[in-house]
Amino acid sequence: MPILETIVDLAPRLRRKEISPLELTRACLDRIEKLNPSLNAFITVNAESAMEEAQAAESEIFSGRWRGPLHGIPIALKDLIDTAGTRTTAGSALFQNRAPSEDAEVVRRLRQAGAVILGKNNLHEFAYGGSSLVSFFGDVHNPRNVAHIAGGSSGGSAAAVAAGLCYAAIGTDTAGSIREPAALCGCVGIKPSYGRVSARGVIPLSWSLDHVGPLAATVGDAAIVLQAIAGYDALDVSSADVPATDYSSGLGETTKNLRVGIPRAYFYDDLDDEVRAAMGAAVAVIETLVAEVRDVQLDIPTDRTVQAAESYAYHAENVARSPELYQPETLRRIRTGEKISAAEYIQRRNELDQERRRARDFFANVDLLVTPTTPIAAPAIADLKKDPAALRPAELTLLRNTRPFNVWGLPAISVPCGFTKSGLPIGLQIAGPHWREDLVLRLAYAYEQAVNFSAK
């Protein structure tokens, strides 16, 4: 049985007892053992508990108590998502032995759905970067070419999915940290609307900008995982009480009535030639799938004060007490928020709220927006390491097209749309109105079916 079958394909076979969660879990653990030494996608592998969970899932399924399409499916978690009794490190020496007493809400929902938790994925330390080259546990490598970055901050999650070490993973996205590594590794990653998925029990980078969402091999798989984790959490102040729709059942609905906007200024500026060519081909395909494609103009927010201030607020006490436990580059980034005044933060936070309200207007004449996910493909690790001063500018370039959608709080997905001549993946970003993950997924699915550039 190939490891890279999709959740969509496997779920009915599990339900019919044709295959066992134990088989799937053992196959994933074997691949982790074989491939993780070169990828460094996992910090912690819970082999024993994963097999126990798989056994429990098998027992339930075999006795007719099937919980749904994630029942018995092995998945992984970015290692800043709390797991009861399992260390949650955020990729930092500061938390290298931290073992939470409770699961994050997103983990509770996954367990409720019957998912098998394989372990915790490596990441850019405290999610403060887009390369996953700054981690106490070492660099994450791209499974398409291990000499290149996997992206970040959910680099280990994207690498694990793209390499078939798990069937899906949960990441976080503050400026593009799900979509950017998904694009660089060649898998699917969706950032839902702000407040759609609970962030309770997730170590924050910036409370106002953090989003939690899935990475998976295909759009259909991402929809299944999002269905399991979406929904209101009364104990999370950022959670919104807006009902989630059935994301999977609407995937095949027509896209012929959709209007797509192309915001060429900013998002299509200074693209790598191969990315530009891939996007041209992708837009040509989308034109065949929808009612209309038109150019649109968007004013882009670029201020990073809120993120800097909130990151510093979370870390201030530990930075003062144990600065040596942070990677030097992470410490430098955190300290950029040190001098931001309360008045400036309040002003910028108010502007962020205004931006989110303004984003409603983007969809007066179009239903969705389409951009490149990243302006360039995955850089070589050696190139970023030989000049440390080049790392942050490279990350900011990689996150340029994803970050505005965090400010706006809009749902956005990255799907594979081709490869460079050297075989590095290129990603297409589709974004939609608040709470319309269903529309975003529908066009993403139609495009994926038309081109078949999936992680498989």
Side-chain angles (χ1 to χ4, degrees):
M1 182 191 59
I3 186 72
L4 282 180
E5 286 186 82
T6 65
I7 299 171
V8 169
D9 294 334
L10 288 169
R13 295 181 61 200
L14 283 163
R15 188 179 191 183
R16 292 193 300 264
K17 307 166 196 171
E18 295 173 4
I19 52 173
S20 161
L22 287 164
E23 291 176 67
L24 299 183
T25 303
R26 173 45 59 200
C28 285
L29 291 171
D30 287 347
R31 284 179 69 87
I32 291 169
E33 188 174 2
K34 177 184 173 186
L35 297 176
N36 196 58
S38 63
L39 299 178
N40 200 26
F42 278 84
I43 290 173
T44 300
V45 180
N46 297 335
E48 189 176 336
S49 64
M51 291 302 287
E52 290 171 359
E53 290 170 21
Q55 179 64 68
E58 181 185 88
S59 299
E60 288 185 342
I61 293 169
F62 278 43
S63 63
R65 291 175 290 154
W66 187 69
R67 301 193 193 188
L70 278 186
H71 202 177
I73 297 290
I75 68 165
L77 305 167
K78 185 177 183 176
D79 198 21
L80 47 56
I81 299 170
D82 281 354
T83 39
T86 299
R87 67 175 180 163
T88 302
T89 71
S92 181
L94 183 71
F95 285 169
Q96 63 180 301
N97 298 312
R98 175 181 176 271
S101 58
E102 291 183 16
D103 283 336
E105 173 63 11
V106 69
V107 178
R108 187 191 69 78
R109 291 182 185 230
L110 289 167
R111 293 195 194 282
Q112 194 172 42
V116 173
I117 309 297
L118 291 167
K120 311 297 285 290
N121 293 132
N122 201 355
L123 67 152
H124 202 109
E125 185 180 28
F126 283 112
Y128 213 144
S131 66
S132 300
L133 295 183
V134 181
S135 168
F136 177 67
F137 299 93
D139 306 338
V140 181
H141 296 260
N142 193 315
R144 303 285 179 170
N145 183 333
V146 294
H148 290 254
I149 68 167
S153 60
S154 308
S157 300
V161 168
L165 308 187
C166 54
Y167 287 95
I170 305 299
T172 63
D173 191 311
T174 306
S177 289
I178 289 171
R179 291 157 291 151
E180 182 246 75
L184 300 191
C185 290
C187 62
V188 173
I190 183 167
K191 177 194 81 65
S193 305
Y194 182 78
R196 170 64 86 196
V197 175
S198 175
R200 183 164 57 92
V202 178
I203 295 167
L205 174 59
S206 171
W207 296 284
S208 298
L209 298 164
D210 291 347
H211 300 63
V212 180
L215 297 100
T218 66
V219 175
D221 287 2
I224 286 171
V225 180
L226 181 60
Q227 191 73 53
I229 63 176
Y232 180 55
D233 175 9
L235 299 179
D236 176 9
V237 294
S238 67
S239 181
D241 191 2
V242 179
T245 57
D246 184 339
Y247 300 121
S248 294
S249 67
L251 288 180
E253 290 182 19
T254 184
T255 55
K256 289 292 187 182
N257 57 347
L258 297 178
R259 303 161 301 164
V260 169
I262 308 290
R264 295 194 187 277
Y266 184 86
F267 290 101
Y268 288 74
D269 292 345
D270 304 317
L271 299 182
D272 172 84
D273 288 345
E274 292 183 288
V275 173
R276 181 180 292 107
M279 282 305 302
V283 171
V285 171
I286 287 170
E287 285 174 340
T288 70
L289 300 173
V290 301
E292 180 187 8
V293 173
R294 62 164 71 174
D295 286 1
V296 296
Q297 290 284 124
L298 301 179
D299 292 326
I300 313 299
T302 56
D303 185 82
R304 299 203 302 274
T305 302
V306 168
Q307 178 181 314
E310 292 184 349
S311 298
Y312 182 75
Y314 175 79
H315 288 282
E317 191 175 316
N318 285 321
V319 163
R321 186 173 55 222
S322 307
E324 73 284 356
L325 294 179
Y326 290 87
Q327 301 293 299
E329 175 61 11
T330 306
L331 192 63
R332 185 193 69 76
R333 296 179 191 188
I334 289 169
R335 282 177 166 160
T336 61
E338 190 171 9
K339 299 287 196 287
I340 296 170
S341 69
E344 183 181 4
Y345 170 72
I346 290 168
Q347 175 63 32
R348 297 300 183 210
R349 187 62 185 75
N350 181 57
E351 290 170 4
L352 185 144
D353 287 338
Q354 291 173 0
E355 281 290 332
R356 288 189 175 157
R357 188 159 292 196
R358 183 174 71 87
R360 300 173 190 168
D361 299 336
F362 301 166
F363 302 98
N365 298 305
V366 297
D367 301 297
L368 296 163
L369 301 168
V370 168
T371 79
T373 309
T374 63
I376 58 175
I381 292 172
D383 290 344
L384 297 180
K385 292 231 167 187
K386 72 184 177 190
D387 180 9
L391 178 62
R392 190 55 174 159
E395 290 178 351
L396 293 176
T397 296
L398 285 163
L399 297 168
R400 182 194 78 187
N401 282 3
T402 51
R403 188 183 175 281
F405 295 98
N406 294 78
V407 175
W408 294 323
L410 298 172
I413 194 170
S414 180
V415 294
C417 71
F419 298 90
T420 67
K421 291 185 181 70
S422 64
L424 293 170
I426 298 169
L428 165 77
Q429 180 173 233
I430 302 169
H434 294 119
W435 318 120
R436 293 309 307 269
E437 290 84 4
D438 59 323
L439 277 188
V440 171
L441 287 161
R442 190 189 308 170
L443 182 58
Y445 180 77
Y447 175 77
E448 179 185 72
Q449 296 301 300
V451 299
N452 195 27
F453 283 126
S454 76
K456 302 166 65 55

